[in-house]
Amino acid sequence: MLYDLRHSDLRVRWLVTLLLATLGTSYLFGAWMVALYAGFSPHKVAETYGPAGEAVMAMQMPPDTTIVAERPVSMAEMGEEMHHVDKDLLVQDTHVHMPMYAVIAACLSVIALGLAIPRWAGLAIIAILFAAPWLDFAGMWLTKLASPGFAFVTLAGGWAMALGYTIVAALAMWQMWLGRKTNP
Amino acid sequence: MKSIILGAVIAALLHITPTVVLVKREDAVARLLPGAEQFTAREFHVSSADSRKLHDAVGWEPPDGMVTFYIGKHQDQVAGALLFMRVDCQHGPLELAVGFDLRGTIRGVEVTKATVEMKPWVLEALRAGLTEAYRGLATDQPPAGADKVKPRIGAMPGYMAELIDKGVMHAEAAYRMLYGRK
């Protein structure tokens, strides 16, 4: 074992606690943001990352000739912008978010290394932590390029992120503060 | 551990700041389509060939192949049209509303959104009178607002002005090539 959080210095446990609290808070706001801009259902995710426009599900390939459609809209409709992520924005999102997700996964993995759990469980937790952002962005790109049906992959990524954090935070809090074994 | 901390700092620095609304879309519509009380959305699902033409003309393709013009009417008479245009850069996205009058010349330009980081730069460019340079431009006249304000503003506001020029140029091309089609 690299190190053991149960027997670690008070300062280390304090650092880990604050890190988990900060990450947990940012995850809660992240979930709120997803609810505001993308939604938690495959349909909503597909609307956000899939092809744009009225015929969102029906027309993914560019038509042979430009198609024009006209419909009445209200002032309110013009004001409320539907949050839609096109390819250029997704390139930007992937570029700026993937490194941050990697750093968060690495931080949580370092905490996981200090947990008193079997080797296989540690490997599984680390795999979940790093799989989550891959699934998240793979889902977005597949929804964009292949089929809106892949929206569920993004949702799976989001839930994997929440699951990984919850497992690490719960085990760390328990082992550091509640179920702690004192040094002989 | 050092590399993790360094990585976190770099990732935080690279992160694009959140978007802020500079002008509400409703206010931009009211300013660019004055008097209009009825609106229609004219949506173009652009073909590959037309996308290529736009790209060849101004180095831009409609995001996801869609362009939407909002047409304002006053007492059943068309008062003008506008479209919202996004311009991306490494600091994040800008959103413009570009309004056209009945002759097809630019009635006005409003910067509706920017990021927190870009906001002060954009405001400096706007205070220097950037958008006045676009008024009355025909769709085949290249916008040159940045050249006019650059001597009076800083480097980053100047860069923002160039991006706004670019957005106006894209809107002109979209209007020129698509708007009149039925």
Side-chain angles (χ1 to χ4, degrees), chain B residues 68-156:
Chain B
T68 303
F69 287 94
Y70 294 101
I71 300 166
K73 289 180 182 172
H74 175 62
Q75 294 177 341
D76 287 333
Q77 297 295 313
V78 174
L82 73 80
L83 81 163
F84 294 100
M85 182 62 64
R86 204 186 74 221
V87 187
D88 292 307
C89 76
Q90 66 271 40
H91 301 278
L94 274 175
E95 186 190 74
L96 315 177
V98 183
F100 296 90
D101 60 22
L102 288 175
R103 292 169 298 156
T105 58
I106 292 180
R107 177 177 279 144
V109 175
E110 299 283 340
V111 182
T112 49
K113 283 180 198 157
T115 64
V116 170
E117 182 191 22
M118 293 154 86
K119 182 182 171 182
W121 303 330
V122 171
L123 291 180
E124 190 177 330
L126 294 178
R127 277 195 298 268
L130 175 70
T131 53
E132 283 154 30
Y134 306 125
R135 230 167 267 149
L137 277 185
T139 54
D140 55 357
Q141 286 181 288
D147 286 344
K148 287 189 179 151
V149 297
K150 265 181 167 179
R152 287 175 277 143
I153 57 179
M156 289 312 290

Side-chain angles (χ1 to χ4, degrees), chain A residues 124-145:
Chain A
I125 290 172
I126 292 168
I128 290 173
L129 290 169
F130 279 93
W134 279 99
L135 286 172
D136 197 24
F137 279 95
M140 291 177 204
W141 279 105
L142 287 168
T143 302
K144 167 79 54 204
L145 300 175

Side-chain angles (χ1 to χ4, degrees), chain B residues 2-16:
Chain B
K2 264 184 191 171
S3 59
I4 290 174
I5 293 168
L6 184 67
V9 170
I10 290 169
L13 288 174
L14 283 173
H15 204 280
I16 288 171

Side-chain angles (χ1 to χ4, degrees), chain A residues 91-177:
Chain A
V91 169
Q92 204 171 56
D93 274 0
T94 310
H95 167 65
V96 297
H97 284 111
M98 281 293 271
M100 185 57 94
Y101 281 151
V103 171
I104 292 170
C107 288
L108 291 173
S109 297
V110 170
I111 295 172
L113 292 177
L115 297 173
I117 49 175
R119 204 177 180 78
W120 66 264
L123 286 170
I125 290 172
I126 292 168
I128 290 173
L129 290 169
F130 279 93
W134 279 99
L135 286 172
D136 197 24
F137 279 95
M140 291 177 204
W141 279 105
L142 287 168
T143 302
K144 167 79 54 204
L145 300 175
S147 161
F150 281 106
F152 81 91
V153 179
T154 286
L155 290 173
W159 287 112
M161 218 172 279
L163 178 69
Y165 172 82
T166 305
I167 293 171
V168 173
L171 286 175
M173 286 300 121
W174 173 259
Q175 293 190 6
M176 286 191 306
W177 302 109

Side-chain angles (χ1 to χ4, degrees), chain A residues 50-54 59 61-75 78-79 81 84-89 92 96-97 99-100 103 107 110 144, chain B residues 4 7-8 11-12 14-16 25-26 29-30 39-48 50 63-64 66 70-71 84 86 88-89 92-93 95 113 178 181-182:
Chain A
E54 285 287 281
M59 195 184 290
M61 295 302 288
D64 292 334
T65 55
T66 294
I67 295 170
V68 192
E70 205 161 313
R71 63 190 171 92
V73 286
S74 65
M75 177 68 106
M78 283 187 285
E81 178 200 17
H84 184 263
V85 179
D86 60 44
K87 198 177 78 199
D88 293 354
L89 203 54
Q92 204 171 56
V96 297
H97 284 111
M100 185 57 94
V103 171
C107 288
V110 170
K144 167 79 54 204
Chain B
I4 290 174
L14 283 173
H15 204 280
I16 288 171
R25 278 183 158 209
E26 292 94 325
V29 171
F39 303 96
T40 52
R42 190 178 288 175
E43 295 173 328
F44 292 85
H45 197 91
V46 183
S47 68
S48 306
D50 284 335
D64 284 346
M66 285 295 296
Y70 294 101
I71 300 166
F84 294 100
R86 204 186 74 221
D88 292 307
C89 76
E95 186 190 74
K113 283 180 198 157
L178 299 171
R181 290 196 199 175
K182 295 276 181 186

